[in-house]
Amino acid sequence: MRFEWVGVNPLARKLIQKSATDFKEVAEKNIRDIYTRSQKPGGTPVGDYTGGGQLRKSAQYRGDEMGYTVHYAPHVEYGHRLVRGGRTIGFVPGQFYLKKNVDTQRPIYKEDLRKKLRE
């Protein structure tokens, strides 16, 4: 799964021109915020259908990247078919937990970029 910060690219480019170090600091802070939010109740689905918390435990971040390492993470995010005996019997809708987290962080990231540019 990969998400991009839509709508903030011009700000990010300006900050990189000013200082790549400042940009890296802002990017890493915001990824860390996304990771932290993923570990709180409501940030990542937890339950029998997600391995009793394995999905949340699989969340990792390093520098400017954050993701989930369990194989079924995309299926919980985007949804999946229910198959029994080789036949599709239904569909489990996606929970979009990572997208919601990124959408929550987007205005914070944008404001952090603006603040760094003003410094």
Side-chain angles (χ1 to χ4, degrees), residues 13-25:
R13 277 194 298 275
K14 285 182 182 181
L15 184 56
I16 290 170
Q17 288 171 349
K18 176 186 171 216
S19 169
T21 304
D22 284 350
F23 173 76
K24 185 176 179 181
E25 179 184 316

Side-chain angles (χ1 to χ4, degrees), residues 40-85:
K40 294 180 180 176
T44 302
V46 175
D48 293 338
Y49 58 92
T50 60
Q54 288 304 111
L55 181 59
R56 180 183 289 170
K57 291 174 191 169
S58 81
Q60 297 179 354
Y61 82 95
R62 182 179 55 198
D64 62 352
E65 294 181 8
M66 187 271 176
Y68 295 84
T69 59
V70 294
H71 70 281
Y72 57 83
H75 304 292
V76 178
E77 177 74 13
Y78 299 115
H80 59 90
R81 294 180 301 140
L82 278 177
V83 179
R84 296 283 187 270

